[in-house]
Amino acid sequence: MVKSLYSGVSGLKTHQQKMDVIGNNIANVNTTGYKTSVVTFADVYYQTKRTPSGATATTGGVNPRQVGYGVKMNTTTNNMSQSGFTYSDSIYDMALDGEGFFQLMDGAGNIFYTRAGVFNIDDSGYLVDSNGYHVLGISGDSEGQNPGSDIIRMVIPDTEANCSSAT
């Protein structure tokens, strides 16, 4: 009887862990670039009550008889499949179609990766995310300059007052 209680308790504890992951997915449903998590389970172990035997000339083989003693959480993995696109009012917001990540760099030079494409321009004209991290892009040209990761700076030239007019 104690063994059956352990089996039930392990199932309840594992179910609670799955509910925690689902709760985290729900809590982040409006987080830009969030990827949901999926839980898989595994058997803890079995006790063999009867060993298997092979067939003979006159009788067939016997299958093993085993009793399981519970379940455990095997893995928690992120669902990295493509999600839908959402319209944005900002001209600086971007989305990735397919695989890949945006590359960001903080002030200390640490590199981060994200799929959240909510960007803005800072006071110096650099493309930044909501944390103020600089967005890195690939530079290079067709004339032999090797590509590299550079901070993206948006340069908007000043216009003279007489170049614009109200209509």
Side-chain angles (χ1 to χ4, degrees):
M1 170 135 166
V2 173
K3 293 177 187 175
S4 63
L5 288 175
Y6 286 138
S7 181
V9 168
S10 75
L12 289 172
K13 289 171 81 174
T14 306
H15 184 70
Q16 179 61 49
Q17 291 172 323
K18 180 181 180 180
M19 295 301 291
D20 292 343
V21 170
I22 291 171
N24 189 46
N25 289 339
I26 292 171
N28 286 292
V29 72
N30 289 327
T31 302
T32 304
Y34 179 76
K35 292 296 185 180
T36 60
S37 296
V38 179
V39 177
T40 60
F41 301 100
D43 298 329
V44 175
Y45 63 89
Y46 286 97
Q47 179 182 15
T48 302
K49 295 290 191 177
R50 182 175 68 191
T51 58
S53 64
T56 65
T58 57
T59 62
V62 177
N63 290 331
R65 183 176 299 154
Q66 295 177 321
V67 176
Y69 287 110
V71 67
K72 68 177 180 175
M73 190 167 73
N74 190 25
T75 61
T76 302
T77 57
N78 288 336
N79 179 2
M80 297 302 287
S81 63
Q82 178 73 39
S83 59
F85 294 108
T86 304
Y87 175 77
S88 170
D89 291 332
S90 175
I91 62 171
Y92 302 112
D93 288 352
M94 296 179 223
L96 296 171
D97 186 13
E99 296 179 357
F101 292 91
F102 294 109
Q103 192 177 30
L104 307 171
M105 184 172 65
D106 66 1
N110 298 313
I111 304 293
F112 299 95
Y113 297 92
T114 183
R115 287 193 56 95
V118 180
F119 301 127
N120 269 314
I121 303 295
D122 68 1
D123 294 338
S124 301
Y126 292 104
L127 190 64
V128 295
D129 75 340
S130 58
N131 296 319
Y133 297 163
H134 290 106
V135 180
L136 301 179
I138 301 299
S139 61
D141 59 22
S142 59
E143 298 176 8
Q145 180 183 353
N146 292 329
S149 295
D150 295 327
I151 297 173
I152 297 175
R153 185 165 188 214
M154 302 290 190
V155 179
I156 302 172
D158 292 333
T159 57
E160 297 177 23
N162 60 0
C163 290
S164 59
S165 62
T167 57

PDB file of all heavy atoms in Angstrom, residues 72-93:
ATOM      1  N   LYS A  72       8.258  11.319 -13.142  1.00  0.00           N
ATOM      2  CA  LYS A  72       9.038  12.519 -12.862  1.00  0.00           C
ATOM      3  C   LYS A  72       8.991  13.428 -14.082  1.00  0.00           C
ATOM      4  O   LYS A  72       8.665  12.992 -15.188  1.00  0.00           O
ATOM      5  CB  LYS A  72      10.489  12.171 -12.518  1.00  0.00           C
ATOM      6  CG  LYS A  72      11.272  11.608 -13.683  1.00  0.00           C
ATOM      7  CD  LYS A  72      12.716  11.357 -13.329  1.00  0.00           C
ATOM      8  CE  LYS A  72      13.450  10.793 -14.542  1.00  0.00           C
ATOM      9  NZ  LYS A  72      14.864  10.646 -14.311  1.00  0.00           N
ATOM     10  N   MET A  73       9.317  14.690 -13.866  1.00  0.00           N
ATOM     11  CA  MET A  73       9.393  15.614 -14.977  1.00  0.00           C
ATOM     12  C   MET A  73      10.706  15.355 -15.700  1.00  0.00           C
ATOM     13  O   MET A  73      11.774  15.382 -15.092  1.00  0.00           O
ATOM     14  CB  MET A  73       9.310  17.063 -14.486  1.00  0.00           C
ATOM     15  CG  MET A  73       9.153  18.058 -15.609  1.00  0.00           C
ATOM     16  SD  MET A  73       8.688  19.700 -15.063  1.00  0.00           S
ATOM     17  CE  MET A  73      10.205  20.259 -14.342  1.00  0.00           C
ATOM     18  N   ASN A  74      10.632  15.081 -16.996  1.00  0.00           N
ATOM     19  CA  ASN A  74      11.815  14.742 -17.772  1.00  0.00           C
ATOM     20  C   ASN A  74      12.518  15.995 -18.279  1.00  0.00           C
ATOM     21  O   ASN A  74      13.656  16.254 -17.922  1.00  0.00           O
ATOM     22  CB  ASN A  74      11.421  13.823 -18.926  1.00  0.00           C
ATOM     23  CG  ASN A  74      12.592  13.229 -19.645  1.00  0.00           C
ATOM     24  OD1 ASN A  74      13.666  13.106 -19.080  1.00  0.00           O
ATOM     25  ND2 ASN A  74      12.391  12.859 -20.896  1.00  0.00           N
ATOM     26  N   THR A  75      11.846  16.789 -19.100  1.00  0.00           N
ATOM     27  CA  THR A  75      12.449  18.007 -19.659  1.00  0.00           C
ATOM     28  C   THR A  75      11.431  19.131 -19.713  1.00  0.00           C
ATOM     29  O   THR A  75      10.229  18.899 -19.772  1.00  0.00           O
ATOM     30  CB  THR A  75      12.967  17.779 -21.100  1.00  0.00           C
ATOM     31  OG1 THR A  75      11.864  17.418 -21.934  1.00  0.00           O
ATOM     32  CG2 THR A  75      14.040  16.732 -21.152  1.00  0.00           C
ATOM     33  N   THR A  76      11.954  20.341 -19.691  1.00  0.00           N
ATOM     34  CA  THR A  76      11.158  21.530 -19.980  1.00  0.00           C
ATOM     35  C   THR A  76      11.871  22.229 -21.130  1.00  0.00           C
ATOM     36  O   THR A  76      12.999  22.688 -20.975  1.00  0.00           O
ATOM     37  CB  THR A  76      11.092  22.469 -18.758  1.00  0.00           C
ATOM     38  OG1 THR A  76      10.540  21.745 -17.663  1.00  0.00           O
ATOM     39  CG2 THR A  76      10.217  23.668 -19.046  1.00  0.00           C
ATOM     40  N   THR A  77      11.228  22.270 -22.272  1.00  0.00           N
ATOM     41  CA  THR A  77      11.853  22.851 -23.462  1.00  0.00           C
ATOM     42  C   THR A  77      11.014  24.014 -23.974  1.00  0.00           C
ATOM     43  O   THR A  77       9.796  24.057 -23.779  1.00  0.00           O
ATOM     44  CB  THR A  77      11.999  21.811 -24.586  1.00  0.00           C
ATOM     45  OG1 THR A  77      10.710  21.270 -24.892  1.00  0.00           O
ATOM     46  CG2 THR A  77      12.922  20.691 -24.172  1.00  0.00           C
ATOM     47  N   ASN A  78      11.678  24.953 -24.625  1.00  0.00           N
ATOM     48  CA  ASN A  78      10.975  26.083 -25.222  1.00  0.00           C
ATOM     49  C   ASN A  78      10.441  25.697 -26.585  1.00  0.00           C
ATOM     50  O   ASN A  78      11.106  25.009 -27.356  1.00  0.00           O
ATOM     51  CB  ASN A  78      11.910  27.286 -25.365  1.00  0.00           C
ATOM     52  CG  ASN A  78      12.229  27.906 -24.037  1.00  0.00           C
ATOM     53  OD1 ASN A  78      11.476  27.782 -23.085  1.00  0.00           O
ATOM     54  ND2 ASN A  78      13.356  28.574 -23.954  1.00  0.00           N
ATOM     55  N   ASN A  79       9.247  26.154 -26.888  1.00  0.00           N
ATOM     56  CA  ASN A  79       8.630  25.944 -28.186  1.00  0.00           C
ATOM     57  C   ASN A  79       9.139  27.055 -29.103  1.00  0.00           C
ATOM     58  O   ASN A  79       8.684  28.188 -29.029  1.00  0.00           O
ATOM     59  CB  ASN A  79       7.109  25.988 -28.059  1.00  0.00           C
ATOM     60  CG  ASN A  79       6.407  25.810 -29.375  1.00  0.00           C
ATOM     61  OD1 ASN A  79       7.034  25.611 -30.414  1.00  0.00           O
ATOM     62  ND2 ASN A  79       5.092  25.885 -29.336  1.00  0.00           N
ATOM     63  N   MET A  80      10.094  26.741 -29.967  1.00  0.00           N
ATOM     64  CA  MET A  80      10.737  27.754 -30.803  1.00  0.00           C
ATOM     65  C   MET A  80      10.104  27.878 -32.181  1.00  0.00           C
ATOM     66  O   MET A  80      10.712  28.414 -33.109  1.00  0.00           O
ATOM     67  CB  MET A  80      12.233  27.435 -30.942  1.00  0.00           C
ATOM     68  CG  MET A  80      12.978  27.469 -29.622  1.00  0.00           C
ATOM     69  SD  MET A  80      12.875  29.044 -28.762  1.00  0.00           S
ATOM     70  CE  MET A  80      13.934  30.042 -29.757  1.00  0.00           C
ATOM     71  N   SER A  81       8.878  27.390 -32.349  1.00  0.00           N
ATOM     72  CA  SER A  81       8.226  27.489 -33.658  1.00  0.00           C
ATOM     73  C   SER A  81       7.819  28.937 -33.940  1.00  0.00           C
ATOM     74  O   SER A  81       7.699  29.759 -33.030  1.00  0.00           O
ATOM     75  CB  SER A  81       7.012  26.569 -33.716  1.00  0.00           C
ATOM     76  OG  SER A  81       6.050  26.979 -32.771  1.00  0.00           O
ATOM     77  N   GLN A  82       7.609  29.230 -35.204  1.00  0.00           N
ATOM     78  CA  GLN A  82       7.243  30.573 -35.650  1.00  0.00           C
ATOM     79  C   GLN A  82       5.845  30.916 -35.150  1.00  0.00           C
ATOM     80  O   GLN A  82       4.931  30.119 -35.265  1.00  0.00           O
ATOM     81  CB  GLN A  82       7.283  30.639 -37.179  1.00  0.00           C
ATOM     82  CG  GLN A  82       6.878  31.975 -37.761  1.00  0.00           C
ATOM     83  CD  GLN A  82       7.932  33.045 -37.571  1.00  0.00           C
ATOM     84  OE1 GLN A  82       9.103  32.783 -37.691  1.00  0.00           O
ATOM     85  NE2 GLN A  82       7.507  34.235 -37.257  1.00  0.00           N
ATOM     86  N   SER A  83       5.699  32.109 -34.598  1.00  0.00           N
ATOM     87  CA  SER A  83       4.373  32.553 -34.171  1.00  0.00           C
ATOM     88  C   SER A  83       3.842  33.550 -35.190  1.00  0.00           C
ATOM     89  O   SER A  83       4.507  33.879 -36.163  1.00  0.00           O
ATOM     90  CB  SER A  83       4.444  33.187 -32.777  1.00  0.00           C
ATOM     91  OG  SER A  83       5.318  34.289 -32.797  1.00  0.00           O
ATOM     92  N   GLY A  84       2.652  34.041 -34.961  1.00  0.00           N
ATOM     93  CA  GLY A  84       2.039  34.987 -35.887  1.00  0.00           C
ATOM     94  C   GLY A  84       2.623  36.382 -35.745  1.00  0.00           C
ATOM     95  O   GLY A  84       3.282  36.714 -34.765  1.00  0.00           O
ATOM     96  N   PHE A  85       2.397  37.195 -36.752  1.00  0.00           N
ATOM     97  CA  PHE A  85       2.859  38.576 -36.739  1.00  0.00           C
ATOM     98  C   PHE A  85       1.749  39.474 -36.224  1.00  0.00           C
ATOM     99  O   PHE A  85       0.573  39.218 -36.447  1.00  0.00           O
ATOM    100  CB  PHE A  85       3.276  39.027 -38.143  1.00  0.00           C
ATOM    101  CG  PHE A  85       4.473  38.293 -38.672  1.00  0.00           C
ATOM    102  CD1 PHE A  85       4.342  37.365 -39.678  1.00  0.00           C
ATOM    103  CD2 PHE A  85       5.730  38.531 -38.144  1.00  0.00           C
ATOM    104  CE1 PHE A  85       5.439  36.681 -40.162  1.00  0.00           C
ATOM    105  CE2 PHE A  85       6.841  37.851 -38.617  1.00  0.00           C
ATOM    106  CZ  PHE A  85       6.688  36.931 -39.627  1.00  0.00           C
ATOM    107  N   THR A  86       2.140  40.539 -35.535  1.00  0.00           N
ATOM    108  CA  THR A  86       1.195  41.500 -34.993  1.00  0.00           C
ATOM    109  C   THR A  86       1.543  42.880 -35.521  1.00  0.00           C
ATOM    110  O   THR A  86       2.715  43.251 -35.584  1.00  0.00           O
ATOM    111  CB  THR A  86       1.263  41.512 -33.446  1.00  0.00           C
ATOM    112  OG1 THR A  86       1.041  40.195 -32.975  1.00  0.00           O
ATOM    113  CG2 THR A  86       0.217  42.432 -32.860  1.00  0.00           C
ATOM    114  N   TYR A  87       0.534  43.644 -35.895  1.00  0.00           N
ATOM    115  CA  TYR A  87       0.751  44.994 -36.398  1.00  0.00           C
ATOM    116  C   TYR A  87       1.261  45.898 -35.282  1.00  0.00           C
ATOM    117  O   TYR A  87       0.855  45.782 -34.130  1.00  0.00           O
ATOM    118  CB  TYR A  87      -0.555  45.558 -36.971  1.00  0.00           C
ATOM    119  CG  TYR A  87      -0.422  46.988 -37.403  1.00  0.00           C
ATOM    120  CD1 TYR A  87       0.217  47.308 -38.586  1.00  0.00           C
ATOM    121  CD2 TYR A  87      -0.917  48.020 -36.614  1.00  0.00           C
ATOM    122  CE1 TYR A  87       0.362  48.622 -38.983  1.00  0.00           C
ATOM    123  CE2 TYR A  87      -0.780  49.335 -37.000  1.00  0.00           C
ATOM    124  CZ  TYR A  87      -0.136  49.635 -38.186  1.00  0.00           C
ATOM    125  OH  TYR A  87       0.013  50.935 -38.574  1.00  0.00           O
ATOM    126  N   SER A  88       2.138  46.802 -35.641  1.00  0.00           N
ATOM    127  CA  SER A  88       2.697  47.748 -34.692  1.00  0.00           C
ATOM    128  C   SER A  88       2.610  49.154 -35.275  1.00  0.00           C
ATOM    129  O   SER A  88       2.722  49.344 -36.481  1.00  0.00           O
ATOM    130  CB  SER A  88       4.157  47.395 -34.410  1.00  0.00           C
ATOM    131  OG  SER A  88       4.768  48.427 -33.679  1.00  0.00           O
ATOM    132  N   ASP A  89       2.458  50.149 -34.420  1.00  0.00           N
ATOM    133  CA  ASP A  89       2.403  51.538 -34.858  1.00  0.00           C
ATOM    134  C   ASP A  89       3.791  52.142 -35.036  1.00  0.00           C
ATOM    135  O   ASP A  89       3.930  53.212 -35.607  1.00  0.00           O
ATOM    136  CB  ASP A  89       1.618  52.390 -33.850  1.00  0.00           C
ATOM    137  CG  ASP A  89       0.135  52.055 -33.848  1.00  0.00           C
ATOM    138  OD1 ASP A  89      -0.367  51.609 -34.885  1.00  0.00           O
ATOM    139  OD2 ASP A  89      -0.514  52.241 -32.804  1.00  0.00           O
ATOM    140  N   SER A  90       4.823  51.499 -34.538  1.00  0.00           N
ATOM    141  CA  SER A  90       6.167  52.053 -34.584  1.00  0.00           C
ATOM    142  C   SER A  90       6.875  51.638 -35.874  1.00  0.00           C
ATOM    143  O   SER A  90       6.854  50.469 -36.259  1.00  0.00           O
ATOM    144  CB  SER A  90       6.983  51.574 -33.386  1.00  0.00           C
ATOM    145  OG  SER A  90       8.323  52.015 -33.496  1.00  0.00           O
ATOM    146  N   ILE A  91       7.541  52.596 -36.516  1.00  0.00           N
ATOM    147  CA  ILE A  91       8.273  52.280 -37.743  1.00  0.00           C
ATOM    148  C   ILE A  91       9.580  51.550 -37.448  1.00  0.00           C
ATOM    149  O   ILE A  91      10.203  51.018 -38.357  1.00  0.00           O
ATOM    150  CB  ILE A  91       8.565  53.560 -38.566  1.00  0.00           C
ATOM    151  CG1 ILE A  91       9.447  54.523 -37.763  1.00  0.00           C
ATOM    152  CG2 ILE A  91       7.279  54.209 -39.013  1.00  0.00           C
ATOM    153  CD1 ILE A  91       9.948  55.705 -38.564  1.00  0.00           C
ATOM    154  N   TYR A  92       9.994  51.493 -36.201  1.00  0.00           N
ATOM    155  CA  TYR A  92      11.247  50.841 -35.832  1.00  0.00           C
ATOM    156  C   TYR A  92      11.057  49.393 -35.393  1.00  0.00           C
ATOM    157  O   TYR A  92      12.035  48.671 -35.224  1.00  0.00           O
ATOM    158  CB  TYR A  92      11.952  51.617 -34.723  1.00  0.00           C
ATOM    159  CG  TYR A  92      12.239  53.043 -35.106  1.00  0.00           C
ATOM    160  CD1 TYR A  92      11.579  54.091 -34.481  1.00  0.00           C
ATOM    161  CD2 TYR A  92      13.142  53.332 -36.112  1.00  0.00           C
ATOM    162  CE1 TYR A  92      11.833  55.400 -34.845  1.00  0.00           C
ATOM    163  CE2 TYR A  92      13.399  54.638 -36.486  1.00  0.00           C
ATOM    164  CZ  TYR A  92      12.736  55.670 -35.851  1.00  0.00           C
ATOM    165  OH  TYR A  92      12.987  56.968 -36.222  1.00  0.00           O
ATOM    166  N   ASP A  93       9.826  48.950 -35.191  1.00  0.00           N
ATOM    167  CA  ASP A  93       9.572  47.572 -34.778  1.00  0.00           C
ATOM    168  C   ASP A  93       9.828  46.625 -35.946  1.00  0.00           C
ATOM    169  O   ASP A  93       9.553  46.942 -37.098  1.00  0.00           O
ATOM    170  CB  ASP A  93       8.140  47.404 -34.285  1.00  0.00           C
ATOM    171  CG  ASP A  93       7.916  48.068 -32.942  1.00  0.00           C
ATOM    172  OD1 ASP A  93       8.904  48.530 -32.335  1.00  0.00           O
ATOM    173  OD2 ASP A  93       6.758  48.125 -32.507  1.00  0.00           O
TER     174      ASP A  93
END
